[in-house]
Coordinates of all heavy atoms in Angstrom, one line a residue:
M1 N 0.8 -1.2 0.0 CA 0.0 0.0 0.0 C 0.9 1.2 0.0 O 1.8 1.3 0.8 CB -0.9 0.0 1.2 CG -2.0 1.1 1.2 SD -3.2 0.9 2.5 CE -2.3 1.8 3.8
L2 N 0.5 2.2 -0.9 CA 1.3 3.4 -0.9 C 1.0 4.3 0.3 O -0.2 4.5 0.6 CB 0.9 4.1 -2.2 CG 1.6 5.4 -2.5 CD1 3.1 5.2 -2.7 CD2 1.1 6.1 -3.7
H3 N 2.0 4.7 0.9 CA 1.8 5.5 2.1 C 2.8 6.7 2.1 O 4.0 6.5 2.4 CB 2.0 4.7 3.4 CG 1.6 5.4 4.6 ND1 2.1 5.1 5.9 CD2 0.7 6.3 4.9 CE1 1.6 5.9 6.8 NE2 0.7 6.6 6.2
L4 N 2.3 7.8 1.8 CA 3.2 9.0 1.6 C 3.5 9.7 2.9 O 4.4 10.6 3.0 CB 2.5 10.0 0.6 CG 2.4 9.5 -0.8 CD1 1.5 10.4 -1.6 CD2 3.7 9.2 -1.4
C5 N 2.8 9.4 3.9 CA 2.9 10.1 5.2 C 4.1 9.6 5.9 O 4.3 8.4 6.1 CB 1.7 9.9 6.0 SG 1.8 10.8 7.6
H6 N 5.0 10.5 6.4 CA 6.1 10.2 7.2 C 5.9 10.5 8.6 O 6.8 10.6 9.4 CB 7.4 10.9 6.6 CG 7.8 10.5 5.3 ND1 8.3 9.3 5.0 CD2 7.6 11.1 4.1 CE1 8.5 9.2 3.7 NE2 8.1 10.2 3.1
H7 N 4.7 10.7 8.9 CA 4.3 11.0 10.3 C 4.9 12.2 10.9 O 5.1 12.3 12.1 CB 4.5 9.8 11.2 CG 3.9 8.5 10.7 ND1 2.5 8.5 10.4 CD2 4.4 7.3 10.4 CE1 2.3 7.3 9.9 NE2 3.4 6.5 9.9
S8 N 5.2 13.2 10.1 CA 5.7 14.5 10.6 C 4.7 15.2 11.4 O 5.0 16.1 12.2 CB 6.2 15.3 9.5 OG 5.2 15.6 8.5
E9 N 3.4 14.8 11.2 CA 2.3 15.5 12.0 C 2.5 15.2 13.5 O 2.3 16.0 14.3 CB 0.9 14.9 11.6 CG 0.6 15.2 10.2 CD 0.9 14.0 9.3 OE1 1.9 13.3 9.7 OE2 0.2 13.8 8.3
K10 N 2.9 14.0 13.8 CA 3.1 13.6 15.2 C 4.2 14.5 15.9 O 4.0 14.9 17.0 CB 3.5 12.1 15.3 CG 2.4 11.2 15.0 CD 2.9 9.7 15.1 CE 1.8 8.8 14.7 NZ 2.2 7.4 14.8
L11 N 5.3 14.7 15.2 CA 6.4 15.5 15.7 C 5.9 16.9 15.8 O 6.2 17.6 16.8 CB 7.6 15.4 14.7 CG 8.8 16.1 15.2 CD1 9.3 15.5 16.5 CD2 9.9 16.0 14.1
A12 N 5.2 17.4 14.8 CA 4.7 18.8 14.8 C 3.7 19.0 16.0 O 3.8 20.1 16.6 CB 3.9 19.1 13.5
I13 N 2.9 18.0 16.3 CA 2.0 18.1 17.4 C 2.7 18.2 18.7 O 2.5 19.0 19.6 CB 0.9 17.0 17.4 CG1 0.0 17.2 16.2 CG2 0.2 16.9 18.7 CD1 -0.9 15.9 15.9
A14 N 3.7 17.3 18.9 CA 4.5 17.2 20.1 C 5.2 18.5 20.3 O 5.2 19.0 21.4 CB 5.5 16.0 20.0
L15 N 5.9 19.0 19.3 CA 6.6 20.2 19.4 C 5.7 21.4 19.7 O 6.0 22.3 20.5 CB 7.4 20.5 18.2 CG 8.7 19.6 18.0 CD1 9.3 19.9 16.6 CD2 9.7 19.8 19.1
G16 N 4.6 21.4 19.1 CA 3.6 22.5 19.2 C 3.1 22.5 20.7 O 2.9 23.6 21.2
L17 N 2.9 21.4 21.3 CA 2.4 21.3 22.6 C 3.4 21.9 23.6 O 3.1 22.5 24.6 CB 2.0 19.9 23.0 CG 0.7 19.3 22.4 CD1 0.6 17.9 22.6 CD2 -0.5 20.1 22.9
I18 N 4.7 21.6 23.3 CA 5.8 22.0 24.2 C 5.9 23.6 24.1 O 6.2 24.2 25.1 CB 7.1 21.3 23.8 CG1 7.0 19.9 24.1 CG2 8.3 22.0 24.5 CD1 8.1 19.0 23.5
N19 N 5.7 24.1 22.9 CA 6.1 25.5 22.6 C 4.9 26.4 22.8 O 5.0 27.6 22.5 CB 6.6 25.6 21.2 CG 8.0 25.0 21.0 OD1 8.8 25.1 21.9 ND2 8.2 24.3 20.0
T20 N 3.7 25.9 23.2 CA 2.6 26.8 23.4 C 2.1 26.7 24.8 O 2.4 25.7 25.5 CB 1.5 26.5 22.4 OG1 1.1 25.1 22.5 CG2 1.9 26.8 20.9
A21 N 1.3 27.7 25.2 CA 0.8 27.7 26.6 C -0.2 26.6 26.8 O -1.1 26.4 25.9 CB 0.2 29.1 26.9
P22 N -0.2 26.0 28.0 CA -1.2 25.0 28.3 C -2.6 25.6 28.2 O -2.9 26.7 28.6 CB -0.9 24.6 29.8 CG 0.5 24.9 29.9 CD 0.8 26.1 29.1
G23 N -3.6 24.8 27.7 CA -4.9 25.3 27.6 C -5.3 26.0 26.4 O -6.5 26.2 26.1
T24 N -4.3 26.4 25.6 CA -4.6 27.1 24.4 C -4.8 26.2 23.2 O -4.1 25.1 23.2 CB -3.5 28.1 24.0 OG1 -2.2 27.4 23.9 CG2 -3.3 29.2 25.1
P25 N -5.6 26.5 22.3 CA -5.7 25.6 21.1 C -4.4 25.6 20.3 O -3.7 26.6 20.2 CB -6.8 26.3 20.2 CG -7.4 27.3 21.1 CD -6.4 27.7 22.1
L26 N -4.1 24.4 19.8 CA -2.9 24.2 19.0 C -3.2 24.2 17.5 O -4.1 23.4 17.1 CB -2.2 22.9 19.4 CG -0.9 22.6 18.7 CD1 0.2 23.6 19.0 CD2 -0.4 21.2 19.2
R27 N -2.5 25.0 16.8 CA -2.8 25.1 15.3 C -1.6 24.6 14.6 O -0.5 25.1 14.8 CB -3.2 26.5 14.9 CG -4.5 26.9 15.4 CD -4.9 28.3 14.8 NE -6.2 28.7 15.3 CZ -6.3 29.3 16.5 NH1 -5.3 29.5 17.3 NH2 -7.5 29.7 16.9
I28 N -1.8 23.6 13.7 CA -0.8 23.1 12.9 C -1.2 23.1 11.4 O -2.3 22.8 11.1 CB -0.5 21.6 13.3 CG1 0.1 21.6 14.7 CG2 0.5 20.9 12.4 CD1 0.2 20.3 15.4
R29 N -0.2 23.4 10.6 CA -0.5 23.5 9.2 C 0.4 22.5 8.5 O 1.6 22.5 8.6 CB -0.3 24.9 8.7 CG -0.5 25.0 7.2 CD -0.9 26.3 6.8 NE -1.5 26.2 5.5 CZ -2.3 27.1 5.0 NH1 -2.7 28.1 5.6 NH2 -2.8 26.9 3.8
K30 N -0.2 21.6 7.7 CA 0.6 20.7 6.9 C 0.3 20.7 5.4 O -0.8 21.0 5.1 CB 0.3 19.2 7.4 CG 0.6 19.0 8.9 CD 2.0 19.1 9.2 CE 2.8 18.0 8.4 NZ 4.3 18.2 8.7
N31 N 1.3 20.4 4.6 CA 1.0 20.4 3.2 C 0.4 19.0 2.7 O -0.2 19.0 1.7 CB 2.3 20.6 2.4 CG 2.8 22.0 2.7 OD1 2.0 23.0 2.8 ND2 4.1 22.2 2.8
L32 N 0.7 18.0 3.5 CA 0.3 16.6 3.1 C -1.0 16.3 3.8 O -1.4 16.9 4.8 CB 1.4 15.6 3.4 CG 2.7 15.8 2.7 CD1 3.7 14.9 3.3 CD2 2.5 15.5 1.2
W33 N -1.6 15.2 3.3 CA -2.8 14.7 4.0 C -2.4 14.2 5.4 O -1.3 13.6 5.6 CB -3.3 13.4 3.2 CG -3.8 13.8 1.9 CD1 -3.1 13.8 0.7 CD2 -5.2 14.1 1.6 NE1 -4.0 14.1 -0.3 CE2 -5.3 14.3 0.2 CE3 -6.3 14.2 2.3 CZ2 -6.4 14.6 -0.5 CZ3 -7.5 14.5 1.7 CH2 -7.6 14.7 0.3
V34 N -3.3 14.3 6.2 CA -3.1 13.7 7.6 C -3.5 12.2 7.4 O -4.6 11.9 7.0 CB -4.1 14.4 8.6 CG1 -4.0 13.7 9.9 CG2 -3.7 15.9 8.7
C35 N -2.6 11.3 7.7 CA -2.9 9.9 7.5 C -3.8 9.4 8.7 O -3.9 10.0 9.7 CB -1.7 9.1 7.3 SG -0.8 8.7 8.8
E36 N -4.3 8.2 8.5 CA -5.2 7.6 9.5 C -4.5 7.4 10.8 O -5.0 7.7 11.9 CB -5.7 6.3 8.9 CG -6.8 5.7 9.7 CD -8.1 6.6 9.6 OE1 -8.3 7.3 8.6 OE2 -8.9 6.5 10.6
D37 N -3.2 7.1 10.7 CA -2.4 6.8 12.0 C -2.2 8.1 12.7 O -2.4 8.2 14.0 CB -1.1 6.2 11.5 CG -0.3 5.7 12.7 OD1 -1.0 5.2 13.7 OD2 0.9 5.7 12.7
C38 N -1.8 9.2 12.0 CA -1.6 10.5 12.7 C -3.0 11.0 13.2 O -3.0 11.7 14.2 CB -0.9 11.4 11.7 SG 0.8 11.0 11.4
H39 N -4.0 10.8 12.4 CA -5.3 11.2 12.8 C -5.8 10.6 14.2 O -6.2 11.3 15.1 CB -6.3 10.8 11.7 CG -7.6 11.5 11.8 ND1 -8.7 10.9 12.4 CD2 -8.0 12.7 11.4 CE1 -9.8 11.8 12.3 NE2 -9.4 12.9 11.7
T40 N -5.5 9.3 14.3 CA -5.8 8.6 15.5 C -5.0 9.2 16.7 O -5.4 9.4 17.8 CB -5.6 7.1 15.4 OG1 -6.4 6.6 14.3 CG2 -5.9 6.4 16.6
Y41 N -3.7 9.4 16.4 CA -2.8 10.0 17.3 C -3.2 11.4 17.8 O -3.2 11.6 19.0 CB -1.4 10.1 16.7 CG -0.3 10.8 17.5 CD1 0.4 10.0 18.4 CD2 0.0 12.1 17.3 CE1 1.4 10.7 19.2 CE2 1.0 12.7 18.0 CZ 1.7 12.0 19.0 OH 2.7 12.6 19.7
A42 N -3.7 12.2 16.9 CA -4.1 13.5 17.3 C -5.3 13.5 18.2 O -5.5 14.3 19.1 CB -4.4 14.4 16.0
K43 N -6.3 12.6 17.8 CA -7.4 12.4 18.7 C -7.1 12.0 20.1 O -7.5 12.6 21.1 CB -8.4 11.4 18.1 CG -9.1 11.9 16.9 CD -10.3 11.0 16.6 CE -9.9 9.7 15.9 NZ -11.1 9.0 15.3
F44 N -6.2 11.1 20.2 CA -5.7 10.5 21.4 C -5.0 11.6 22.3 O -5.3 11.8 23.4 CB -4.7 9.4 21.1 CG -4.1 8.7 22.3 CD1 -4.9 7.9 23.1 CD2 -2.8 8.9 22.7 CE1 -4.4 7.2 24.2 CE2 -2.2 8.2 23.8 CZ -3.1 7.4 24.5
I45 N -4.1 12.4 21.6 CA -3.4 13.5 22.3 C -4.3 14.6 22.8 O -4.2 15.1 23.9 CB -2.3 14.1 21.4 CG1 -1.2 13.1 21.1 CG2 -1.7 15.4 22.0 CD1 -0.4 12.7 22.3
S46 N -5.3 14.9 22.0 CA -6.3 16.0 22.4 C -7.0 15.6 23.7 O -7.3 16.4 24.5 CB -7.3 16.3 21.3 OG -8.2 15.2 21.1
K47 N -7.3 14.3 23.8 CA -7.9 13.8 25.0 C -7.0 13.8 26.2 O -7.4 14.2 27.3 CB -8.5 12.4 24.8 CG -9.3 11.9 25.9 CD -10.2 10.8 25.4 CE -11.3 10.5 26.4 NZ -12.4 9.7 25.9
I48 N -5.8 13.3 26.0 CA -4.8 13.2 27.1 C -4.5 14.6 27.7 O -4.4 14.8 28.9 CB -3.5 12.6 26.5 CG1 -3.7 11.2 26.1 CG2 -2.4 12.7 27.6 CD1 -3.7 10.2 27.2
V49 N -4.2 15.6 26.8 CA -3.7 16.9 27.2 C -4.9 17.9 27.5 O -4.7 18.9 28.1 CB -2.7 17.5 26.3 CG1 -1.5 16.6 26.1 CG2 -3.3 17.8 24.9
G50 N -6.1 17.5 27.0 CA -7.2 18.3 27.2 C -7.1 19.6 26.5 O -7.6 20.7 26.9
R51 N -6.5 19.6 25.3 CA -6.4 20.8 24.5 C -7.0 20.5 23.1 O -6.9 19.4 22.6 CB -5.0 21.2 24.3 CG -4.4 21.7 25.6 CD -2.9 22.0 25.5 NE -2.6 23.1 24.6 CZ -1.4 23.5 24.3 NH1 -0.4 23.0 25.0 NH2 -1.2 24.5 23.4
A52 N -7.5 21.6 22.5 CA -8.0 21.4 21.1 C -6.8 21.5 20.2 O -5.8 22.2 20.4 CB -8.9 22.6 20.7
I53 N -6.8 20.6 19.2 CA -5.7 20.6 18.2 C -6.3 20.7 16.8 O -7.1 19.9 16.4 CB -4.9 19.2 18.3 CG1 -4.3 19.0 19.7 CG2 -3.8 19.2 17.2 CD1 -3.7 17.7 19.9
M54 N -5.9 21.8 16.1 CA -6.5 22.0 14.8 C -5.4 21.7 13.8 O -4.3 22.3 13.8 CB -6.9 23.4 14.6 CG -8.1 23.8 15.6 SD -8.2 25.5 15.8 CE -9.1 25.5 17.4
V55 N -5.6 20.8 12.9 CA -4.6 20.5 11.8 C -5.2 20.8 10.5 O -6.3 20.2 10.1 CB -4.2 19.0 11.9 CG1 -3.2 18.7 10.9 CG2 -3.7 18.6 13.3
R56 N -4.6 21.7 9.8 CA -5.0 22.0 8.5 C -4.1 21.4 7.5 O -2.9 21.5 7.5 CB -5.0 23.5 8.3 CG -5.8 24.0 7.1 CD -5.5 25.5 6.9 NE -6.4 26.1 5.9 CZ -6.7 25.6 4.7 NH1 -6.4 24.4 4.4 NH2 -7.4 26.3 3.9
D57 N -4.6 20.6 6.5 CA -3.8 20.1 5.4 C -4.2 20.8 4.1 O -4.9 21.8 4.2 CB -3.8 18.6 5.4 CG -5.2 18.0 5.0 OD1 -6.0 18.7 4.4 OD2 -5.4 16.8 5.4
A58 N -3.7 20.3 3.0 CA -3.9 20.9 1.8 C -5.4 21.2 1.4 O -5.8 22.2 0.8 CB -3.3 20.1 0.6
N59 N -6.3 20.3 1.8 CA -7.7 20.4 1.4 C -8.7 20.5 2.5 O -9.9 20.7 2.3 CB -8.0 19.2 0.5 CG -7.2 19.2 -0.7 OD1 -7.3 20.2 -1.5 ND2 -6.4 18.2 -0.9
R60 N -8.3 20.2 3.7 CA -9.3 20.1 4.8 C -8.7 20.5 6.1 O -7.6 20.8 6.3 CB -9.9 18.7 4.9 CG -8.8 17.6 5.1 CD -9.4 16.3 4.8 NE -9.6 16.3 3.3 CZ -10.7 15.8 2.8 NH1 -11.7 15.4 3.5 NH2 -10.8 15.8 1.5
F61 N -9.6 20.6 7.1 CA -9.3 21.2 8.4 C -9.9 20.2 9.4 O -11.0 19.9 9.5 CB -10.0 22.5 8.5 CG -9.6 23.3 9.7 CD1 -8.5 24.1 9.7 CD2 -10.4 23.2 10.8 CE1 -8.2 24.8 10.8 CE2 -10.1 24.0 12.0 CZ -8.9 24.8 11.9
H62 N -9.0 19.7 10.3 CA -9.4 18.8 11.3 C -9.4 19.6 12.6 O -8.4 20.3 12.9 CB -8.4 17.6 11.4 CG -8.4 16.8 10.2 ND1 -9.2 15.7 10.0 CD2 -7.6 16.9 9.1 CE1 -9.0 15.2 8.8 NE2 -8.0 15.9 8.3
D63 N -10.4 19.4 13.4 CA -10.5 20.0 14.7 C -10.7 18.9 15.8 O -11.8 18.4 16.0 CB -11.7 21.0 14.7 CG -11.8 21.8 15.9 OD1 -10.9 21.7 16.8 OD2 -12.7 22.6 16.0
F64 N -9.6 18.6 16.4 CA -9.6 17.5 17.4 C -9.9 18.1 18.8 O -9.2 19.1 19.2 CB -8.2 16.8 17.4 CG -7.8 16.2 16.1 CD1 -7.0 16.9 15.3 CD2 -8.3 15.0 15.7 CE1 -6.6 16.4 14.1 CE2 -7.9 14.4 14.5 CZ -7.1 15.1 13.7
E65 N -10.8 17.5 19.4 CA -11.1 18.0 20.8 C -11.6 16.9 21.6 O -12.6 16.2 21.2 CB -12.0 19.2 20.8 CG -12.0 20.0 22.1 CD -12.5 21.4 21.9 OE1 -13.0 21.7 20.8 OE2 -12.3 22.2 22.8
N66 N -11.1 16.6 22.8 CA -11.5 15.6 23.7 C -11.7 14.2 23.0 O -12.7 13.5 23.3 CB -12.8 16.1 24.4 CG -13.1 15.3 25.6 OD1 -12.2 14.8 26.3 ND2 -14.4 15.1 25.9
G67 N -10.8 13.9 22.2 CA -10.7 12.5 21.6 C -11.6 12.4 20.3 O -11.7 11.3 19.8
V68 N -12.2 13.4 19.8 CA -12.9 13.3 18.6 C -12.5 14.4 17.6 O -12.0 15.5 18.0 CB -14.4 13.4 18.8 CG1 -15.0 12.2 19.6 CG2 -14.8 14.7 19.5
C69 N -12.7 14.1 16.3 CA -12.4 15.1 15.3 C -13.8 15.5 14.7 O -14.6 14.7 14.4 CB -11.6 14.5 14.2 SG -11.4 15.6 12.8
S70 N -14.0 16.8 14.7 CA -15.3 17.3 14.3 C -15.5 17.3 12.8 O -16.6 17.5 12.4 CB -15.5 18.7 14.9 OG -14.6 19.6 14.4
F71 N -14.5 17.1 12.1 CA -14.6 17.2 10.6 C -15.2 15.9 10.1 O -14.9 14.8 10.5 CB -13.2 17.3 10.0 CG -13.3 17.6 8.5 CD1 -13.6 18.9 8.1 CD2 -13.1 16.6 7.6 CE1 -13.6 19.1 6.7 CE2 -13.1 16.8 6.3 CZ -13.4 18.1 5.8
L72 N -16.1 16.0 9.2 CA -16.8 14.9 8.5 C -15.8 14.5 7.4 O -15.7 15.2 6.3 CB -18.1 15.3 7.9 CG -19.2 15.6 9.0 CD1 -20.4 16.2 8.3 CD2 -19.6 14.4 9.8
H73 N -15.1 13.4 7.5 CA -14.2 13.1 6.5 C -14.3 11.6 6.0 O -13.4 10.8 6.0 CB -12.8 13.4 6.9 CG -12.4 13.0 8.3 ND1 -12.2 11.7 8.7 CD2 -12.3 13.7 9.4 CE1 -11.9 11.7 10.0 NE2 -12.0 12.8 10.4
G74 N -15.5 11.3 5.5 CA -15.6 10.0 4.8 C -14.7 9.9 3.6 O -14.2 8.9 3.3
L75 N -14.5 11.1 3.0 CA -13.7 11.1 1.8 C -12.2 10.8 2.2 O -11.5 10.1 1.4 CB -13.7 12.6 1.2 CG -13.0 12.8 -0.1 CD1 -13.6 11.9 -1.2 CD2 -13.0 14.2 -0.5
L76 N -11.8 11.3 3.3 CA -10.4 11.0 3.8 C -10.2 9.5 3.9 O -9.2 8.9 3.5 CB -10.1 11.7 5.1 CG -8.8 11.4 5.7 CD1 -7.6 12.0 4.9 CD2 -8.7 12.0 7.1
V77 N -11.2 8.8 4.5 CA -11.1 7.4 4.8 C -11.0 6.6 3.5 O -10.3 5.7 3.3 CB -12.4 6.9 5.6 CG1 -12.4 5.4 5.7 CG2 -12.3 7.5 7.0
M78 N -11.8 7.1 2.5 CA -11.7 6.5 1.2 C -10.4 6.6 0.5 O -9.9 5.7 -0.2 CB -12.8 7.1 0.2 CG -14.2 6.6 0.5 SD -15.4 7.6 -0.3 CE -14.8 7.7 -2.0
L79 N -9.7 7.7 0.7 CA -8.5 8.0 0.0 C -7.2 7.4 0.7 O -6.2 7.2 0.1 CB -8.3 9.5 -0.2 CG -9.3 10.2 -1.1 CD1 -9.2 11.7 -1.1 CD2 -9.0 9.7 -2.6
V80 N -7.3 7.1 2.0 CA -6.2 6.7 2.7 C -5.9 5.2 2.3 O -6.8 4.4 2.2 CB -6.3 6.8 4.2 CG1 -5.3 6.0 4.9 CG2 -6.3 8.2 4.6
Ligands
ZN1 ZN1 1.0 9.8 9.5
ZN2 ZN1 -10.3 14.5 11.1

C-alpha cells in the first residue's frame, strides 16, 4: 500500500504542545494529507492533554477535541 505520510504530524503536534501555553488551542499546518495513523494519534493526544488541536492540510481542516475530530471526512477514509 502506498503511504506517503512520514508521520511528521506527530512530531509537529508534540513540538507544538511544548512550545505553546497549556490550555490554548494548538494550530498546525501541513502540506500533506493527515494519514489515518496520525489522525488517531491527534485524537488521542487531544484527550490526554485536554487541548484542542487544529490540523489544516492541503484540502481540509481537522479540529480535534476531547478525543474526537469534528470534521466529516468520509472522503479521507476512502483515500487513505
Ligand atoms: Zn502519519
Ligand atoms: Zn479529522
